[in-house]
Amino acid sequence: MNEQSTSYVDLAAEVKIQEGGTISKTLYQDHSLKVVLFGFDAGQELSEHTAAVPAVLQFLDGNATVTLGEKTVEAVANTFIHMAANLSHSITAKQPTKMLVLLLKGAKADG
């Protein structure tokens, strides 16, 4: 890893799911972007919250219910979700699940 590039050839291998827990690992961060990898054991959740910036969720494996305002998405491997800033959301893993989050800090809140 150097200042001009950051590479991960196997994202799912970068986080190990902990029994009965949720783990997160920041993979990259600068003034415009923060990339966080999450690992959820079955039954674990991120309770309802908002993000001040737009975000992208990319599910690498597993199965989770994602609530986005009034909408619900059943996320599995390769599910992509874009969220506007300040959208209320929550995530509940139905089975061990790995998810990549990109927080778009440099984006305008309205899109």
Side-chain angles (χ1 to χ4, degrees):
M1 201 160 48
N2 65 43
E3 292 180 16
Q4 294 183 3
S5 70
T6 303
S7 301
Y8 295 94
V9 296
D10 185 355
L11 285 173
E14 292 297 321
V15 68
K16 294 194 187 306
I17 293 174
Q18 296 180 354
E19 186 175 336
T22 298
I23 188 165
S24 65
K25 178 181 180 182
T26 298
L27 300 179
Y28 179 83
Q29 182 168 309
D30 65 19
H31 70 281
S32 63
L33 175 67
K34 182 174 183 179
V35 180
V36 183
L37 183 59
F38 282 87
F40 302 90
D41 197 8
Q44 296 301 302
E45 65 181 271
L46 286 180
S47 59
E48 187 174 326
H49 64 285
T50 62
V53 298
V56 172
L57 310 180
Q58 174 69 50
F59 286 80
L60 305 177
D61 61 24
N63 184 319
T65 300
V66 182
T67 302
L68 304 157
E70 301 297 317
K71 180 180 175 181
T72 300
V73 174
E74 293 303 319
V76 295
N78 299 313
T79 297
F80 169 95
I81 297 169
H82 173 268
M83 299 185 308
N86 302 311
L87 177 65
S88 178
H89 60 281
S90 63
I91 301 163
T92 303
K94 293 181 172 183
Q95 65 186 57
T97 299
K98 294 180 182 178
M99 172 187 76
L100 187 69
V101 177
L102 288 80
L103 295 166
L104 309 173
K105 302 186 302 184
K108 294 181 181 176
D110 63 354

